[in-house]
Amino acid sequence: HVQTEGFLNGMVTLGKGGTLYGSGQVGGVSNFGGLVSPGNSPGTLSIGDGGFTDVGGTLVIEFGLSGFDRLLVEGPVNLDGTLIDFRFIEGFAPDEDFEFDFVESLDQVLSLNNLRYSITGLAPGFEFSVAEGSDGRLNFRALNAGVSAVPEAGTFALVAAGLLGLVLVRRR
């Protein structure tokens, strides 16, 4: 497991079970089955001109009320069989047509094959697209409004009151 908040000049290589997370900068990343999670819920992970290669790993991208995760890469980006796990945190739910560039290759080179996606933190029925821009960006776009799967604070109060009422009725 590697956490970076500063600068790590060399290449980071992850295998199955390995994790790289944080808001710092690394020289390059080769991920073969591990997990890469930019930021600290959320934030930006910068990768140098060594680029970012992911084969069969997971890239976690969080969207929250306090901001969004971003992977900023100076070199090329190669994703093959990567699971991109979009996580909606802090009760954030996107409106229809919400867009965000979550990967950017300053080298403007993206090689994308067999990508898979998952969503957590939103109610079922949310639809989205991921598009590759000609400028080296990978863009998330909400096709409909999302509904947060995190219950509002009032929901907990209602459930607690209902359970208390059941306990009182049973005691009679």
Side-chain angles (χ1 to χ4, degrees):
H1 298 284
V2 179
Q3 178 181 5
T4 180
E5 299 306 320
F7 181 78
L8 180 60
N9 194 30
M11 290 287 294
V12 174
T13 301
L14 300 172
K16 190 171 185 161
T19 303
L20 171 65
Y21 63 98
S23 294
Q25 182 173 353
V26 296
V29 175
S30 295
N31 182 21
F32 301 99
L35 184 138
V36 175
S37 183
N40 294 311
S41 294
T44 299
L45 177 62
S46 297
I47 299 175
D49 58 9
F52 179 62
T53 297
D54 186 294
V55 178
T58 300
L59 174 62
V60 174
I61 300 295
E62 293 178 320
F63 297 93
L65 296 173
S66 61
F68 315 121
D69 280 346
R70 186 167 173 232
L71 192 65
L72 179 60
V73 185
E74 290 180 26
V77 173
N78 300 295
L79 305 177
D80 188 359
T82 304
L83 170 64
I84 300 176
D85 182 9
F86 295 110
R87 297 181 183 177
F88 291 84
I89 61 173
E90 302 169 335
F92 176 77
D95 292 327
E96 183 175 353
D97 293 327
F98 164 84
E99 288 190 62
F100 183 72
D101 294 330
F102 62 94
V103 173
E104 180 179 356
S105 169
L106 299 180
D107 204 20
Q108 297 188 4
V109 176
L110 292 175
S111 175
L112 310 172
N113 297 296
N114 307 310
L115 298 183
R116 300 170 292 130
Y117 306 99
S118 66
I119 293 274
T120 56
L122 294 179
F126 177 69
E127 296 178 359
F128 67 97
S129 67
V130 173
E132 176 184 355
S134 59
D135 57 356
R137 296 173 189 259
L138 205 50
N139 178 271
F140 174 95
R141 181 171 177 255
L143 300 178
N144 60 350
V147 176
S148 178
V150 177
E152 295 183 25
T155 303
F156 291 116
L158 285 173
V159 169
L163 290 174
L164 180 61
L166 284 173
V167 168
L168 293 175
V169 168
R170 275 197 117 174
R171 286 189 174 175
R172 289 184 183 179

